[in-house]
Amino acid sequence: MHVRNQIRNEVASALNGAGIDVLKSRAYPIEKTPAVAVSTPSDVVLRDQSTMTDEVRELTVVVEVFIKSVVDYDAQVDDIASRIETVLSDQLLNEIDFYFESFEMDLSDESEAALMVGSLSFSCIYSVARGEPETLR
């Protein structure tokens, strides 16, 4: 299992342990809200910190909060986002430091009912042996 997948699982496990239910997949329509999903849209090798045998990588982890509501949706998203930040910011998950980077909120009309989506971006630095993306160093 690629380290990205391991990290997504660690994040989901930490959030579930804090009472925040995480969707198994974002591939299906969101039926019930609030809903939370974890993705890793970017994984970049930091060449200036890597060696001939090790790759140091910066992974972007995005935790999305989905709310279907017409009343206080901003407050609902912010409440859940606050809980997520508390669980993940500067926390060592499987020997990986997580750093809060940014938050964005937007109204999505991709589903039949409008969804408020809050996206929390975190950055983490990890290392693997070159050619061995399944083993965290």
Side-chain angles (χ1 to χ4, degrees), residues 33 67-77 107 113-116:
T33 65
I67 298 286
K68 284 183 190 177
S69 179
V70 293
V71 179
D72 291 333
Y73 52 80
D74 293 60
Q76 291 179 50
V77 169
L107 189 62
L115 281 175
M116 180 56 67

Side-chain angles (χ1 to χ4, degrees), residues 61-102:
V61 177
V62 175
V63 181
E64 293 176 301
V65 178
F66 302 93
I67 298 286
K68 284 183 190 177
S69 179
V70 293
V71 179
D72 291 333
Y73 52 80
D74 293 60
Q76 291 179 50
V77 169
D78 282 338
D79 179 55
I80 296 170
S82 176
R83 291 173 54 208
I84 291 168
E85 276 190 67
T86 300
V87 173
L88 298 181
S89 286
D90 295 325
Q91 181 175 348
L92 199 65
L93 294 175
N94 198 14
E95 301 182 18
I96 298 174
D97 287 314
F98 273 72
Y99 302 98
F100 176 74
E101 293 286 337
S102 66

Side-chain angles (χ1 to χ4, degrees), residues 21 41 43 61 100 110:
D21 292 330
D43 190 11
V61 177
F100 176 74
E110 293 177 10

Side-chain angles (χ1 to χ4, degrees), residues 119-130:
S119 296
L120 295 90
S121 292
F122 295 85
S123 177
C124 65
I125 307 296
Y126 71 97
S127 183
V128 295
R130 189 173 300 249

